[in-house]
Amino acid sequence: MTTLTTEAPALSGVLGAPVAAESLLDGLPWGVALLDADRRVVCLNSRGEALLGIDVATACGLPCHQVIRSERCFRACPLAPPGGADAEDAPVDVRCPVSQETDIIDRQRRKVAVRACVVSLRDLNGKAIGYMEVLEELQHGAIPDQEATELAVLEGFVSHSPVMQPLLSAMRIIAETDSNVLITGETGTGKDLLAEGIHKASARSGGPFVKVNCGALPEHLLESELFGHMRGAFTGAVSDKPGRFRLASGGTLFLTEVGDLPLPLQVKLLTVLDDQCIYPLGATRPVSVDVRIVAATHRDLEAMVRAGLFREDLLFRLNVVRLHVPPLREREGDTRLLLDHFMRRMAAATKRNVKGFTPDALRLLCEYPWPGNVRELRNVVEYAVHFATGELADVSSLPASIVAHRQPPASFPDSLGRPTDGALQPGHQEQAPGPEKSGAAERTGKEEPLFLSWQDKERHMILKALEQTGGRRQLAADRLGWSRSTLWRKLNIHGLV
Amino acid sequence: MRKILIALHGDEVSPRFDLTREAWIGSIHEGQIVRRRNVVLPQASAESLCHLAVTEDVDTLVCGGMEDEFYQYLHWKRIDVIDNVIGPLEAVVQAYTDGTLTAGAVLPAQGGGPCPDGNTGTSA
C-alpha cells in the first residue's frame, strides 16, 4: 500500500484502482490529520475540519501545533525530537499509538475535551515518513458506560405517571434507531431533555449533540449557523465556518423551535434531509453530512401547514417518529414527585436545611395548573428554598403568582409524610379563598402581604426574624440560614441599621 | 500611539492564549515601533495574561486560540482582540502596522512546505 501524491492524495494497492484518501478519511467518525516528517499538516478530513474549525486548504503546510492546538502540544508532544526543538534530524518514530486525553480550542473559541492519538506512518521499507493524529471528541470528559447512560436517560424524566410510561418506553426503542424524530409538547415539558436522552441512549452517543434554536437567530444568521460559510461568502466572513450540521457530524442535531424556522430555510433543510449533504454559503461543492435530526416544537405544525407557514413535505420528513410530551397537569401524581425531587436537589445545591413543604403550601402547589410545566415548578421550588425560614417551606415562601391561584383547601399529608397538623382541622377547611396567610399570620390573625419584589420580601423576612428573636442578630441570622455578616450586609442594604 | 500585546510561543504567535508564558509588548506610533519589550510570565495562565494586558493598558491583543470567556472579558475592557492568528512575530507586527492584520490571518513563515495539492497553506 503506497500513498500517491500526484494530483489528489490516494491509496493504491488495496483495491483495483487507487482509493481517494478523502473518501477514506471522511468516512471516519474522528478528526484525522496526516502530518509529514516535519510535523506539518498535509491532509485533514472533514470531521477534523469541523472539530478544529479550520479548512484543509488553510491547514495544509502549517505546523501541527498551530492547527490542532491541543494542550498536549505544549506539555508533552510525543513527536517532539528528543534533543529539543532545534533537533530536526529525523522524524520521531512512534511505534505504538500514543493516546492521551487533552483539550483543544477551536476557532469558535470553545475548549473541547478530546482524546488524541498519534502514530507513525511508514513506507514499504518500514521507515517513518510521517504521522497520523486522530482526535476523538469526548463527551463530558469521559465515555459513559452503558449503565451510566441508561441511568442518565432515566434520571432525566422523574415520573411515575401512567401517561408518561408509553413515552419512556418509546424513547428507548427510538434511541436504537436512526430515524428522524419530532418531539411536540408545551413549553417546559422537557422536550430538550427527551432529545438529549434519545441521543445518549443511541449508537451516536459517542458523537456530538448539537442544539440549534431556530427561533433565536435571524434568518440570514441562521443559514450560516446551520450550514456554515466559506471565507469571503459575504461581508464579514473573514474565515470559514463549518456550521452546526458539520459540527454534529457523527452525532445528533437537535433543532428546537423548528416551527419558527423561516420558509426559505425549510426548503434547504428539506434538501439536506433528502440528499444528506449541505451547501455552505459560498461553497461550490456539496459537503456530505451524517447526522440524525431530532426536531422539537411547541407549535401545532399541522395548523401551521394549513395556514401556509410550514411546508407539508418538511413535516412529513421530520414526522418519521413523533413523540408527544404530556403537560404536567395531565401527569397524575407527578407534581408531588417532582416537588420532592427538586426540593432535595435545590436544598442540597444551596446548602439550606429545607426538607419539604407545609401541608398548606403543598395543597396549593398540587392544585396549581402549572402552565409553565416542569420548568415553572422547578423555579417555584428554587424560590421556596431561598425564602423558607424553617425546615418546611410554607405558603409565605411561595411566589405571589402561585398564591393568587389559591383554591379552597383539601386534605393533604405534608411532604415529609408526617401526620397532618392544624392546617387540616375543620376550622381551617372552612377557610374561604382569599389572600394567603402564613403560619405566623394565622397565629396572629394578621394577613400576610403579597410581595412584588425580592427586596420587599427579603426586608419582611429580616424584620420577621428579628421580631421573633427579640432583636438578637445572631439568632435571627441562624433562623434565616445566613451568616451574621450576611445579615449585617443586608440590614445595611435595607436601611435597617 | 497604540500599544499592542502579542502572546508568544518561541518566535511565533502562541497557538493557545491560556498556555502562553511569554508576551511581546510594543508601542507603535505612525507605523514605527517606538518601544518594545518581552515579558515572561512565571506560569502559563490566561488570567495573568489578561491582567497584564489590562494593567499595561494595551489597545490590541494578538493571539492564537482563545476561549470565549477571555475574549469577552478583554472586549469588555475595550481591548481589541485579534485571535486565531498564525505566523512569526515580525510578520504579525508588520501586518499590524500596515493595518492588514485580521482575525484568522495566516502569515507566511520560513520553511512552509507546500501541500500535495499545491496549496502553500499561507494567505494574507
Side-chain angles (χ1 to χ4, degrees):
Chain A
M1 189 165 68
T2 56
T3 305
L4 303 179
T5 58
T6 49
E7 291 182 349
L11 298 168
S12 69
V14 179
L15 298 174
V19 178
E22 186 182 334
S23 70
L24 177 74
L25 297 176
D26 285 353
L28 298 173
W30 313 293
V32 178
L34 300 185
L35 316 176
D36 65 12
D38 294 329
R39 291 179 281 155
R40 290 181 183 276
V41 176
V42 294
C43 190
L44 185 65
N45 72 345
S46 59
R47 180 74 191 120
E49 286 182 284
L51 187 62
L52 300 170
I54 188 169
D55 65 300
V56 66
T58 308
C60 270
L62 293 174
C64 62
H65 68 271
Q66 291 282 13
V67 175
I68 296 169
R69 307 195 304 197
S70 75
E71 185 261 354
R72 183 172 76 166
C73 298
F74 286 75
R75 306 273 187 228
C77 176
L79 306 182
D86 297 331
E88 297 282 351
D89 301 336
V92 175
D93 195 353
V94 185
R95 291 195 172 272
C96 296
V98 180
S99 179
Q100 283 175 328
E101 288 187 11
T102 180
D103 59 56
I104 60 167
I105 292 182
D106 67 12
R107 266 63 182 179
Q108 280 74 49
R109 307 191 185 101
R110 287 174 301 204
K111 188 178 269 189
V112 182
V114 295
R115 178 173 289 116
C117 179
V118 67
V119 65
S120 286
L121 299 174
R122 303 168 191 287
D123 63 12
L124 291 174
N125 299 318
K127 183 187 171 191
I129 54 170
Y131 310 97
M132 177 170 70
E133 179 136 15
V134 181
L135 300 169
E136 180 189 358
E137 187 176 350
L138 297 178
Q139 296 289 313
H140 309 299
I143 297 175
D145 57 26
Q146 187 64 27
E147 190 180 347
T149 302
E150 285 180 4
L151 276 174
V153 172
L154 293 174
E155 189 189 10
F157 276 93
V158 178
S159 176
H160 286 166
S161 170
V163 298
M164 287 293 284
Q165 294 315 309
L167 178 70
L168 297 176
S169 304
M171 183 170 143
R172 294 184 184 88
I173 295 166
I174 297 308
E176 291 169 9
T177 72
D178 213 23
S179 304
N180 294 336
V181 180
L182 178 62
I183 303 171
T184 57
E186 291 179 10
T187 180
T189 47
K191 298 185 289 294
D192 291 26
L193 205 61
L194 183 62
E196 198 162 357
I198 291 170
H199 169 74
K200 283 179 179 171
S202 74
R204 292 175 176 269
S205 59
F209 176 77
V210 178
K211 178 179 170 181
V212 182
N213 189 333
C214 302
L217 291 169
E219 184 181 331
H220 62 286
L221 282 182
L222 189 59
E223 184 170 3
S224 165
E225 196 68 27
L226 279 178
F227 306 117
H229 62 245
M230 308 300 286
R231 181 163 52 187
F234 50 84
T235 307
V238 293
S239 61
D240 289 352
K241 186 174 180 177
R244 298 295 176 96
F245 264 97
R246 288 172 76 183
L247 289 175
S249 185
T252 304
L253 182 69
F254 176 44
L255 299 172
T256 180
E257 306 301 350
V258 75
D260 297 336
L261 199 66
L263 271 170
L265 275 183
Q266 291 179 22
V267 183
K268 289 206 168 194
L269 181 59
L270 190 66
T271 310
V272 176
L273 296 176
D274 277 336
D275 304 339
Q276 292 288 306
C277 66
I278 58 168
Y279 285 86
L281 285 169
T284 53
R285 290 190 306 169
V287 177
S288 61
V289 288
D290 169 33
V291 296
R292 179 188 199 176
I293 304 284
V294 177
T297 183
H298 68 280
R299 297 187 187 279
D300 182 353
L301 290 185
E302 278 80 6
M304 289 183 71
V305 168
R306 287 194 294 276
L309 299 172
F310 200 82
R311 288 184 66 97
E312 189 174 28
D313 41 8
L314 178 58
L315 175 60
F316 291 150
R317 277 281 168 200
L318 292 173
N319 199 14
V320 179
V321 176
R322 180 180 286 213
L323 298 176
H324 178 73
V325 190
L328 185 54
R329 61 181 173 278
E330 293 175 11
R331 292 165 56 176
E332 193 182 343
D334 276 0
T335 303
R336 175 69 183 272
L337 193 68
L338 286 163
L339 285 170
D340 289 345
H341 170 76
F342 285 120
M343 175 60 83
R344 278 196 300 274
R345 258 180 52 177
M346 297 295 176
T350 57
K351 296 180 181 162
R352 298 291 309 274
N353 187 27
V354 187
K355 293 179 178 171
F357 293 95
T358 62
D360 213 19
L362 202 58
R363 177 171 53 245
L364 194 58
L365 292 168
C366 289
E367 286 169 355
Y368 186 68
W370 299 110
N373 293 292
V374 182
R375 185 186 292 127
E376 186 185 13
L377 182 142
R378 186 190 59 198
N379 293 343
V380 167
V381 175
E382 187 173 352
Y383 183 100
V385 168
H386 285 313
F387 284 106
T389 51
E391 279 194 353
L392 296 178
D394 60 10
V395 176
S396 66
S397 310
L398 301 179
S401 58
I402 303 289
V403 179
H405 277 79
R406 188 179 176 87
Q407 298 293 318
S411 290
F412 276 90
D414 76 8
S415 60
L416 291 179
R418 295 196 298 225
T420 54
D421 62 12
L424 301 178
Q425 294 305 308
H428 288 272
Q429 287 177 8
E430 289 165 9
Q431 187 180 359
E436 184 46 58
K437 294 177 181 179
S438 70
E442 284 169 12
R443 282 191 297 273
T444 58
K446 292 177 185 172
E447 282 192 354
E448 181 81 3
L450 293 178
F451 300 100
L452 297 177
S453 73
W454 282 70
Q455 294 295 319
D456 288 348
K457 177 84 180 173
E458 196 172 70
R459 183 186 167 91
H460 176 79
M461 284 168 55
I462 293 169
L463 288 171
K464 189 174 159 187
L466 286 169
E467 183 186 344
Q468 289 169 351
T469 57
R472 281 169 290 185
R473 286 176 186 161
Q474 182 62 61
L475 285 176
D478 292 344
R479 185 164 288 220
L480 290 164
W482 298 340
S483 66
R484 187 179 160 80
S485 58
T486 301
L487 177 62
W488 176 251
R489 186 166 51 80
K490 287 181 186 291
L491 284 170
N492 273 300
I493 289 170
H494 293 290
L496 298 173
V497 179
Chain B
M1 184 154 66
R2 289 183 65 81
K3 207 168 184 183
I4 176 174
L5 185 153
I6 301 175
L8 279 184
H9 177 70
D11 295 330
E12 59 185 6
V13 176
S14 174
R16 288 275 293 254
F17 181 73
D18 57 336
L19 301 174
T20 301
R21 294 191 60 173
E22 188 177 0
W24 182 93
I25 299 174
S27 300
I28 294 168
H29 183 60
E30 294 179 349
Q32 298 294 318
I33 304 169
V34 294
R35 194 178 302 137
R36 59 193 295 172
R37 67 191 171 102
N38 283 50
V39 177
V40 178
L41 301 171
Q43 60 188 17
S45 157
E47 288 83 0
S48 301
L49 214 46
C50 282
H51 182 68
L52 179 67
V54 172
T55 52
E56 288 286 336
D57 200 21
V58 302
D59 300 294
T60 306
L61 187 145
V62 179
C63 64
M66 172 190 274
E67 280 183 89
D68 196 50
E69 177 189 354
F70 300 108
Y71 179 87
Q72 298 298 345
Y73 171 75
L74 292 169
H75 182 71
W76 176 57
K77 289 288 183 183
R78 301 179 192 278
I79 295 174
D80 291 331
V81 178
I82 305 175
D83 62 346
N84 293 321
V85 172
I86 298 173
L89 172 66
E90 297 305 327
V92 171
V93 174
Q94 188 60 52
Y96 180 75
T97 52
D98 293 345
T100 57
L101 187 65
T102 56
V106 182
L107 300 169
Q110 294 296 319
C115 258
D117 61 1
N119 192 301
T120 59
T122 58
S123 62

